[in-house]
Amino acid sequence: MPIQVLPPQLANQIAAGEVVERPASVVKELVENSLDAGATRIDIEIDKGGAKLIRIRDNGSGIGKDELSMALARHATSKIASLDDLEAIVSLGFRGEALASISSVSRLTLTSRTAEQAEAWQAYAEGREMAVTLKPAAHPVGTTLEVLDLFYNTPARRKFMRTEKTEFTHIDEIVRRIALARFDVAFSLTHNGKLVRQYRGVSESSQRERRMGAICGTAFLSHALAIEWQHGDLSLRGWVADPVGSKAITDLQYCYVNGRMMRDRLINHAIRQAYQDKLGNDHQPAYVLYLEIDPHQVDVNVHPAKHEVRFHQSRLVHDFIYQGVVSVLQEAGAETLPDVEP
Ligand code: ADP
Ligand code: MG
């Protein structure tokens, strides 16, 4: 076979292999786009675990008619323009790949209206060349992405989808994680026509704690120790469960770096170490932690799905987190010590 440039659809389907693992990955990418667009309300509708329908509607900035086709093109993004931007990412997206990838493995329509436009427009890409068709539509300011029949044209991927229930569980987990990242945004999640989750946007810290409890459960809430730890331009906020709580709670390790949800080994290790002799080897500390760091000090361009980061000064970050958690555990320990008569 001679060397040839792949047609756009096939190139996008290959890229989709890295980013669109299952319906939950579609939800993650689309909700992150809504957040990047400044949405304060995001409604997520799912049918049949996402295999039939994923619809995300937001009240963000919208996309102008002239830019709708670009939004569906690969390597097209409004979020970075230079290497300098890439080295200090402040948005959740930056690869310009999600919409192109998703639309190459589903029937995707993008409907959007900006505040400047009197009417909304809908875009749809199809065929090997992914030619975009535009037509007028009715929609308030903001964007709706509709993804029908995910993986209908990639049977190998479709085969890997699990039951409706399992796929929905993954979606639910992603939505909970994202809802924890942004207390100021209202989210709703509907499955097969039934409202499953609803989180109102909140601002005050007492309300935050209530919403955190709604997402993480009362066991975590009642054992949660609040952290506020600062050093230079590093800041760590959030909650860790005291050792008793951590022993009782499984699988609650939520961590965010500059608002991005992560599974980070370094952070997890630092926290574990802080609990060292307070938890046996069979237990993981439960936590919801938000690390804020100068975006120049962290590389998010490590993995296409963007759930890993690299810290330029990893030792410093590790020790900072360790110290923060140790100090809150010590404080809590001191409080619960029995009073000793002099
Ligand atoms: P990225 O998020 O990496 O830029 P995407 O493929 O996810 O790439 O999106 C492409 C572009 O489409 C974005 O840069 C943004 O300009 C626009 N876009 C996507 N979703 C939305 C949305 N919900 N609201 C406004 N603009 C959006
Ligand atoms: Mg994106």
Side-chain angles (χ1 to χ4, degrees), residues 33-34 37 58 62-63 71 76-79 93-99 143:
N33 280 344
S34 298
D58 70 50
I63 307 171
T77 178
S78 58
K79 298 171 193 175
F94 58 87
R95 301 175 56 92
E97 280 196 319
L99 295 191
T143 303

Side-chain angles (χ1 to χ4, degrees), residues 91-264:
S91 52
L92 295 167
F94 58 87
R95 301 175 56 92
E97 280 196 319
L99 295 191
S101 299
I102 297 163
S103 103
S104 74
V105 295
S106 69
R107 301 181 221 275
L108 175 146
T109 52
L110 164 58
T111 312
S112 198
R113 197 186 126 195
T114 59
E116 295 77 46
Q117 275 172 210
E119 64 183 341
W121 289 83
Q122 185 171 79
Y124 176 74
E126 65 186 330
R128 273 162 48 100
E129 299 304 318
M130 304 212 55
V132 176
T133 313
L134 280 185
K135 61 177 191 194
H139 196 282
V141 173
T143 303
T144 295
L145 261 296
E146 195 170 81
V147 176
L148 287 169
D149 305 326
L150 183 64
F151 302 136
Y152 78 97
N153 55 355
T154 50
R157 261 297 146 119
R158 190 152 187 107
K159 234 178 38 205
F160 279 101
M161 268 204 280
R162 298 297 170 224
T163 62
E164 189 179 319
K165 189 161 168 270
T166 303
E167 294 301 342
F168 185 73
T169 304
H170 284 276
I171 291 172
D172 188 30
E173 174 69 11
I174 288 281
V175 172
R176 282 158 29 109
R177 278 176 178 267
I178 298 183
L180 268 176
R182 290 294 299 270
F183 288 95
D184 54 328
V185 176
F187 293 90
S188 76
L189 174 62
T190 304
H191 191 207
N192 296 335
K194 225 178 83 192
L195 182 67
V196 180
R197 307 258 174 219
Q198 187 160 36
Y199 306 119
R200 269 178 247 287
V202 298
S203 50
E204 281 166 37
S205 64
S206 58
Q207 296 173 311
R208 278 165 165 256
E209 201 144 296
R210 178 139 29 104
R211 179 159 140 178
M212 179 276 278
I215 299 172
C216 298
T218 45
F220 183 72
L221 183 62
S222 60
H223 288 279
L225 310 170
I227 289 198
E228 285 231 43
W229 192 243
Q230 183 104 30
H231 180 78
D233 51 16
L234 283 172
S235 121
L236 185 70
R237 288 181 307 113
W239 301 270
V240 295
D242 61 28
V244 176
S246 284
K247 274 187 189 151
I249 300 164
T250 50
D251 278 346
L252 208 149
Q253 284 83 37
Y254 294 158
C255 122
Y256 303 84
V257 177
N258 293 347
R260 182 189 301 280
M261 52 181 170
M262 291 280 112
R263 282 200 182 281
D264 189 85

